[in-house]
Amino acid sequence: MALALLLGPVLIGWNGWPGWWWALSLVSALAAAWLFVAVPADRQRAPSAAAVPESGWSRLRTTVGARGPWLTALSFAVYSAQWMAVIGFLPAIYAGAGVPAGWNAVLTALAAAMNIVGNIMGGRWLQRGIAPERLLQWGFLIMALGGIAAFAELRGPGTDAIGLPASLRFVAVCAFSLAGGMVPATLFLLGVRFAPGPATVSTTVGLMQQASSLGQFLAPPTVAWVAHRVGGWHWTWVATLACSLTGIAIARRLGRARLALEAATP
């Protein structure tokens, strides 16, 4: 996504939106061809009389009937919703602030790339034994603070808006994206742990991905509608704060559920 935000404006300026979509289609086609060539075919195993594989519908029913997968999916949704709403609208926000197109692309791509750092940091801290729910709470807390610092303004009647300088707002956006990267890294670990069984890991992760996509689909138009109604982006922090507080509450429930699961596992 960082590369798309960096290169997209250049390609769109060179060949318009159709050229950009053709470029994305070419990347997808190359990825599909690479997977076809590089990933070996599944080995056909003789069916065992003692182990009858579950059908896809059976695994799905088992997954949606458990509480853990729903908690991880909802947590993923409130993370992806606010991240996409903020990073996705950065080009429009910076363009409205008069940032030149070249710097607009670079700053937006850098903010998006900070998410990569958060992903790696989250994985390393999980390896060092930090509780997953604690890492989730840290991530959502910093996202909440970063959203407030980046967008909140004091507006009085007949006075100019008062907020942080542009440089500090950008630092806040980068912190928002970096801390957010710890959330998916942690949720993929919890998704495997909270799957009702080994056969339902794929459906649990699939449920998380669908919730993530739903959050990305619903949040940007909602935030854009709010910005249109109030005449600016200065209330965006309310949406990010609501998502983060929801994520913190879910993280606490996930922590209790994880301890109960580990206590019940021999």
Side-chain angles (χ1 to χ4, degrees):
M1 184 171 180
L3 289 175
L5 290 167
L6 181 64
L7 301 177
V10 177
L11 292 178
I12 293 170
W14 172 55
N15 202 23
W17 280 100
W20 176 235
W21 289 115
W22 277 112
L24 294 178
S25 299
L26 178 61
V27 171
S28 296
L30 291 175
W34 179 30
L35 288 173
F36 181 79
V37 173
V39 178
D42 294 336
R43 294 181 179 180
Q44 297 295 331
R45 296 182 179 180
S48 172
V52 178
E54 293 183 81
S55 67
W57 284 112
S58 176
R59 294 197 300 271
L60 182 59
R61 285 194 299 268
T62 302
T63 301
V64 299
R67 184 181 67 165
W70 282 109
L71 291 175
T72 56
L74 182 57
S75 185
F76 214 143
V78 295
Y79 153 74
S80 65
Q82 59 177 318
W83 192 86
M84 181 59 69
V86 171
I87 302 300
F89 280 125
L90 275 186
I93 295 171
Y94 288 151
V99 177
W103 277 108
N104 189 331
V106 171
L107 293 175
T108 305
L110 179 60
M114 295 302 293
N115 201 251
I116 304 170
V117 180
N119 287 162
I120 297 173
M121 288 172 53
R124 295 300 299 269
W125 281 338
L126 288 170
Q127 289 177 338
R128 293 179 180 179
I130 294 181
E133 61 274 10
R134 181 174 299 179
L135 205 56
L136 285 178
Q137 292 180 68
W138 289 351
F140 280 120
L141 177 60
I142 298 174
M143 291 185 83
L145 298 176
I148 293 172
F151 294 102
E153 294 178 350
L154 296 177
R155 292 174 176 248
T159 61
D160 294 332
I162 301 175
L164 290 177
S167 57
L168 292 182
R169 288 175 184 260
F170 178 70
V171 171
V173 169
C174 288
F176 169 93
S177 182
L178 186 148
M182 298 189 297
V183 174
T186 307
L187 288 176
F188 278 116
L189 170 69
L190 291 176
V192 174
R193 290 188 180 179
F194 281 112
T200 57
V201 170
S202 60
T203 46
T204 300
V205 173
L207 181 64
M208 292 166 52
Q209 294 282 24
Q210 293 299 322
S212 172
S213 298
L214 184 62
Q216 294 178 52
F217 175 74
L218 294 177
T222 303
V223 171
W225 177 81
V226 172
H228 174 72
R229 296 285 295 181
V230 302
W233 301 97
H234 51 280
W235 284 106
T236 301
W237 66 272
V238 176
T240 61
L241 179 62
C243 288
S244 293
L245 292 178
T246 303
I248 291 173
I250 298 172
R252 294 176 64 88
R253 295 191 63 180
L254 283 170
R256 292 192 295 268
R258 182 183 66 86
L259 293 176
L261 180 65
E262 292 179 354
T265 302

